[in-house]
Amino acid sequence: INMSIVLNKFVLKGNTGKMEKIQKIFKPKYIHIAVIILGIIFMSLSIFHTNMWFDESYTIGIVRHSFSEIWNITSYDVHPPFYYFCLHILNLIFGENIIVYRLFSAITIALTAILGYTHIRKDFGEKVGFWFSFLTLMLPVSAQYAGEIRMYSLGMLLGTIMCIYAYRIYKKDIHKLTYVFFGLSSLTLAYTHYYGVLLAGVINLALFIYLIKNRKERKQDLIKFTITAVLQVVAYLPWLIVFASHLKGTSFWITLTFPGSIYEILTVQYKGNLAFQPIILSTAFYAYLIYMVASTPKKERKPGTWGFIIYIGIILLVLVICAMLHSVILLSRYLLILNGAFMFSIAYFMAKDTNKVRMITICLIILTLSAFSNCKTIRENYAENNRDFKTYLDENIEDGDIIIYSGAINGAVITTEVSQNHDNTSYFYNKEHWGVHDAYKAFAPYMVIEEDLSKILDNYTGRIWIVENENTHQLCDEIAEKYDVKKLEEKQFINKYKDYRYTFELIEK
């Protein structure tokens, strides 16, 4: 039913007061606010749990350390320290609280969506701001990473803020704090993720070139921007020097597969936690965006195309760096750092679409994918058996027992879990001689890395917990061949959370 006809009937019947109330309720800004609130609730449904996977255990381990230790340890890792500094502050305030860490990720995504109302709506109109908030909160990727104890959502927030203020500098929409907000968001983004370094570098360089070309009428802005850029470089230089000095010892573990990696990059926004790659739907959505770009007049399409150019350009730049380093650093989840620019471009062209049937169809597809993805995440995150292995360890581990594992992925999680309530030492038997000694100081003092079993067991007598993957007994067999041991117990656990599997073998030497 056409809303205007309904409202006219109210007027004819003398219900002017009621009509005014309805008009107030259905004001675009109130609908926008309602979508933000509902979106925040939706993406937060799955985050109130204390499970962890390896990357999260690394985060939890490293934020236990001091600021100076975090600085030193992350210089050997593949991510800068700012996110870990933020969580360390939370650790100092609330103690080690996994829920608080997850809430931090959810809050940063929520703040990114709110920028659609507070900033993008102002700069580009109500429709663009609305669709930006809707996409940021409702695409499957948001609910998937809202509860991840990792830096991607923070990077997305900082990248979005930086791009907004870069655009305002470009458009001369400048107030006293514009350069401060731009410079701080750019610098902290570079200190959050290396894709953030690339994004900040590209935006700063593009803005600098533009101001140089228009230096006659933008002289003051060129001076202010140059000062801001120089301060950023000076502030980032200490980290750049430290990281460069440790680069040779940094391990890049990412691999590319074909066509798997291509599918992941194309579907990262739409897959979420789905068990399949929605390649057909995502391809159709990209085709729709290409159609909208082509059908939008050239004078109107420029702001929207910038986000796409930035997104695709950074991916191409990463591929060039991969070739130069002879290492792979392209990973689909890293693209969340660029999501602000990408979501803006999609929102910009969706706002140009006047076909209601098409828009409703797109919304229903997005909401359906998100609903299925989030339901699956909720079932996995809140599965009853997820904490069984922790309960088992807490009830059976004794003072003086040691833990040994040769698989760092599962083993590090056990170290982090056990260290919350016990003082038992864990040993990572680095049989493959990975170059992770410095980066894995994040788990110190609870994890000790050794490459020779004799250094762990020759002078030890007592109970040993061996952690292996499901149905594997390689480490236990290796120890049994070299030492006189007695097997006391074996227990297996399969977690729905991240499909982590643990085999515990308790032996005595």
Side-chain angles (χ1 to χ4, degrees):
I1 300 173
N2 190 302
M3 183 59 70
S4 61
I5 295 174
V6 176
L7 295 176
N8 286 333
K9 287 181 178 179
F10 266 86
V11 174
L12 291 173
K13 291 180 179 180
N15 294 317
T16 306
K18 290 183 179 179
M19 185 196 73
E20 290 176 352
K21 289 181 180 179
I22 293 173
Q23 284 178 326
K24 287 181 180 180
I25 292 172
F26 285 97
K27 276 187 177 181
K29 69 176 184 179
Y30 293 143
I31 297 174
H32 194 162
I33 292 170
V35 166
I36 289 174
I37 294 171
L38 290 172
I40 292 172
I41 294 171
F42 174 76
M43 74 170 186
S44 301
L45 292 175
S46 65
I47 71 173
F48 299 97
H49 65 93
T50 57
N51 308 304
M52 68 182 79
W53 62 294
F54 173 77
D55 283 17
E56 292 178 321
S57 72
Y58 189 88
T59 299
I60 293 166
I62 201 170
V63 300
R64 293 169 172 173
H65 295 263
S66 66
F67 289 110
S68 60
E69 289 171 336
I70 291 172
W71 175 278
N72 184 56
I73 294 168
T74 51
S75 65
Y76 293 97
D77 188 34
V78 294
H79 299 300
F82 181 66
Y83 170 75
Y84 299 126
F85 284 170
C86 292
L87 260 60
H88 182 62
I89 293 171
L90 293 178
N91 183 286
L92 294 175
I93 297 171
F94 300 102
E96 185 169 288
N97 191 316
I98 294 176
I99 302 298
V100 170
Y101 297 161
R102 295 194 192 283
L103 281 170
F104 180 78
S105 295
I107 288 169
T108 52
I109 292 181
L111 290 174
T112 304
I114 290 170
L115 289 172
Y117 183 85
T118 58
H119 289 68
I120 294 173
R121 185 172 70 104
K122 175 185 175 183
D123 294 348
F124 297 97
E126 287 180 341
K127 286 185 178 180
V128 180
F130 171 83
W131 286 119
F132 178 85
S133 298
F134 174 84
L135 292 168
T136 300
L137 291 169
M138 295 301 187
L139 278 174
V141 71
S142 297
Q144 182 188 7
Y145 286 97
E148 289 277 335
I149 309 178
R150 298 300 286 162
M151 68 288 298
Y152 313 120
S153 56
L154 174 61
M156 180 169 65
L157 171 63
L158 296 172
T160 305
I161 294 172
M162 181 191 66
C163 288
I164 287 171
Y165 283 98
Y167 178 79
R168 290 186 175 184
I169 292 171
Y170 164 77
K171 293 293 289 183
K172 299 182 183 179
D173 183 10
I174 299 171
H175 56 71
K176 292 180 180 179
L177 295 178
T178 297
Y179 282 99
V180 174
F181 289 148
F182 171 76
L184 286 177
S185 59
S186 178
L187 178 62
T188 51
L189 175 64
Y191 266 108
T192 298
H193 198 279
Y194 290 117
Y195 277 37
V197 176
L198 298 179
L199 178 58
V202 166
I203 296 297
N204 276 270
L205 181 61
L207 198 52
F208 182 64
I209 292 171
Y210 171 77
L211 292 173
I212 285 286
K213 289 175 68 175
N214 297 273
R215 57 187 176 276
K216 289 184 179 180
E217 61 267 29
R218 303 292 301 269
K219 184 178 179 180
Q220 290 300 316
D221 286 324
L222 178 59
I223 293 171
K224 291 177 182 177
F225 175 81
T226 302
I227 293 171
T228 304
V230 169
L231 289 174
Q232 287 185 65
V233 172
V234 171
Y236 197 70
L237 198 57
W239 176 255
L240 197 61
I241 293 171
V242 171
F243 177 72
S245 66
H246 295 163
L247 187 59
K248 290 182 180 179
T250 302
S251 299
F252 296 99
W253 49 267
I254 306 167
T255 57
L256 282 180
T257 60
F258 185 82
S261 297
I262 305 301
Y263 287 169
E264 286 181 8
I265 291 168
L266 290 175
T267 63
V268 62
Q269 314 292 340
Y270 316 104
K271 182 179 184 297
N273 195 29
L274 295 172
F276 63 94
Q277 295 280 6
I279 187 67
I280 296 175
L281 288 174
S282 60
T283 301
F285 196 60
Y286 287 124
Y288 161 75
L289 293 173
I290 292 170
Y291 165 77
M292 286 304 303
V293 172
S295 60
T296 302
K298 287 185 178 180
K299 291 182 180 179
E300 298 178 20
R301 74 171 66 146
K302 184 184 287 186
T305 56
W306 285 346
F308 291 141
I309 291 170
I310 291 169
Y311 189 76
I312 296 169
I314 296 295
I315 293 175
L316 294 175
L317 182 57
V318 168
L319 289 173
V320 171
I321 295 171
C322 288
M324 293 172 61
L325 292 176
H326 302 290
S327 297
V328 179
I329 57 172
L330 181 61
L331 194 63
S332 59
R333 64 174 177 263
Y334 291 178
L335 298 179
L336 266 72
I337 306 299
L338 317 174
N339 245 27
F342 189 63
M343 291 299 101
F344 165 76
S345 290
I346 298 174
Y348 184 85
F349 288 108
M350 284 182 70
K352 300 289 182 184
D353 196 342
T354 57
N355 188 312
K356 294 181 181 178
V357 174
R358 190 162 55 216
M359 295 302 292
I360 291 172
T361 302
I362 290 171
C363 288
L364 288 176
I365 290 172
I366 289 173
L367 292 174
T368 301
L369 288 174
S370 293
F372 278 106
S373 173
N374 207 20
C375 284
K376 184 173 181 288
T377 300
I378 290 169
R379 287 196 303 270
E380 292 174 356
N381 292 0
Y382 298 130
E384 291 183 3
N385 69 326
N386 279 341
R387 306 304 293 166
D388 287 353
F389 78 96
K390 180 65 164 53
T391 302
Y392 169 73
L393 277 174
D394 285 342
E395 292 176 351
N396 292 279
I397 200 165
E398 298 176 0
D399 293 342
D401 291 358
I402 63 171
I403 303 168
I404 305 178
Y405 46 85
S406 58
I409 302 302
N410 286 9
V413 173
I414 298 302
T415 294
T416 307
E417 292 274 17
V418 171
S419 63
Q420 292 173 347
N421 300 316
H422 308 279
D423 293 325
N424 303 81
T425 302
S426 297
Y427 291 92
F428 170 36
Y429 173 35
N430 188 15
K431 189 176 181 178
E432 304 299 327
H433 309 293
W434 294 1
V436 295
H437 288 260
D438 292 303
Y440 280 16
K441 288 178 181 176
F443 299 106
Y446 305 102
M447 177 197 285
V448 177
I449 303 176
E450 293 290 358
E451 299 186 0
D452 188 342
L453 275 177
S454 63
K455 293 182 178 179
I456 304 173
L457 296 176
D458 276 3
N459 298 315
Y460 175 79
T461 301
R463 302 199 326 164
I464 304 165
W465 290 86
I466 299 173
V467 182
E468 302 193 81
N469 293 328
E470 184 189 21
N471 294 326
T472 60
H473 302 84
Q474 294 177 358
L475 180 55
C476 188
D477 292 342
E478 184 177 347
I479 293 173
E481 287 178 5
K482 298 178 180 179
Y483 300 95
D484 181 20
V485 297
K486 179 175 66 174
K487 192 168 187 177
L488 303 178
E489 191 172 350
E490 179 178 331
K491 194 82 170 177
Q492 294 183 352
F493 296 92
I494 300 176
N495 285 11
K496 286 190 176 181
Y497 183 71
K498 304 297 183 181
D499 195 32
Y500 265 38
R501 299 167 184 238
Y502 307 97
T503 296
F504 296 107
E505 295 164 282
L506 177 59
I507 63 176
E508 188 170 24
K509 174 177 177 288

